[in-house]
Amino acid sequence: MIVLLPPSETKRAGGDGPALSLASLSFPSLNATRDTLVDQLVDLAADRPASRKALAISASQDAEIDRNAALRSAPTLPAIHRYTGVLYDALDIDSLRGAAAARAEARLAVVSALFGVIRATDRIPAYRLSAGSKLPGSPSMAARWKPVLEPVLADLAEHELVVDLRSGSYAALGKVPGAVSVDVTAEHPDGRRATVSHFNKAHKGRLARALASTRTDPGDAAAVAAVARRADLRIERRGDHLTVVVPA
């Protein structure tokens, strides 16, 4: 089983690993696109106004541009430790030990605008680029990634069950045939339901933790739902789609 996570805008600074080596990353067929994007971000960092516009940030966030300028030389961290924020707080990878930690490292993958899909243990620097970013003179991130990323994701899905926890903009970078998809809905006491926005990340993080660390190896949506229920998540299943139901 592979659990696909979205990245996060917030990232842990620094690192204890060597500078970025694309050759060391998983899924080497993506390296040409990765290399082009890294070069573009490094070059763009020399023009702060253009960087702010492309990355949708303000002058108070110029440290993000500095991160991009240093992409080739900055220290690295494993991807699963680089990303921070609500989902990753709920996943709480640092608290897993032994076999559970090893299972998590093998099962978790992140789909990002800069690297496509990477494994939890792939070492990356801090950077700023989102699925909605539009680099000057270039197609959208989805247009750039889909032709190269979808074959890789399809190959993954041929060999393992894929549980897709990505948000919409990152799911648009490449579809996964046959994946188990997940959404989160809030239920009011009178039965009314509403889409959960911000806190949907926390519930997906809880599900990711349960799936990453379970001793079982789910092979279909029903088995994924069973793992979630054992983790005290309320789950509804319709075919290959799961809904996490939380109190409003």
Side-chain angles (χ1 to χ4, degrees):
M1 175 181 61
I2 296 293
V3 181
L4 289 185
L5 303 176
S8 62
E9 294 287 6
T10 56
K11 299 169 185 72
R12 189 168 284 112
D16 58 6
L20 175 66
S21 168
L22 295 181
S24 72
L25 299 183
S26 304
F27 314 107
S29 64
L30 304 178
N31 279 348
T33 302
R34 291 165 173 164
D35 193 45
T36 298
L37 285 168
V38 169
D39 280 347
Q40 282 189 277
L41 286 180
V42 171
D43 291 345
L44 185 62
D47 185 338
R48 288 184 180 267
S51 287
R52 293 174 196 141
K53 181 178 179 181
L55 303 174
I57 60 176
S58 67
S60 66
Q61 297 171 287
D62 276 359
E64 301 283 3
I65 301 174
D66 296 334
R67 286 180 166 184
N68 285 352
L71 276 171
R72 296 283 187 188
S73 58
T76 56
L77 282 173
I80 200 62
H81 297 292
R82 175 65 71 191
Y83 297 107
T84 61
V86 175
L87 187 152
Y88 290 88
D89 287 346
L91 171 60
D92 194 13
I93 193 73
D94 290 332
S95 69
L96 296 179
R97 297 288 184 270
R103 285 191 291 269
E105 289 181 349
R107 289 171 174 171
L108 296 173
V110 182
V111 174
S112 77
L114 183 54
F115 297 110
V117 61
I118 51 177
R119 298 278 188 176
T121 52
D122 285 335
R123 287 186 166 271
I124 59 172
Y127 67 92
R128 180 67 176 235
L129 186 71
S130 68
S133 298
K134 181 67 166 61
L135 300 184
S138 298
S140 68
M141 289 296 128
R144 298 179 75 160
W145 275 115
K146 285 183 75 170
V148 293
L149 184 56
E150 285 194 340
V152 171
L153 295 175
D155 184 64
L156 268 181
E158 276 190 20
H159 298 92
E160 301 190 69
L161 178 70
V162 175
V163 181
D164 193 348
L165 300 185
R166 294 176 294 168
S167 54
S169 59
Y170 287 96
L173 299 183
K175 297 178 181 177
V176 188
V180 176
S181 59
V182 179
D183 67 5
V184 182
T185 190
E187 186 174 76
H188 293 267
D190 63 3
R192 289 182 298 112
R193 290 187 171 186
T195 300
V196 176
S197 53
H198 178 70
F199 288 105
N200 119 14
K201 296 177 182 178
H203 300 297
K204 285 186 174 181
R206 290 176 59 202
L207 176 58
R209 180 182 176 86
L211 294 173
S213 58
T214 181
R215 292 186 179 89
T216 63
D217 190 12
D220 57 25
V224 171
V227 171
R229 291 181 184 120
R230 287 197 296 273
D232 295 325
L233 290 166
R234 180 182 168 192
I235 293 285
E236 295 177 354
R237 181 172 69 89
R238 180 174 295 177
D240 287 335
H241 182 77
L242 303 181
T243 298
V244 181
V245 183
V246 299

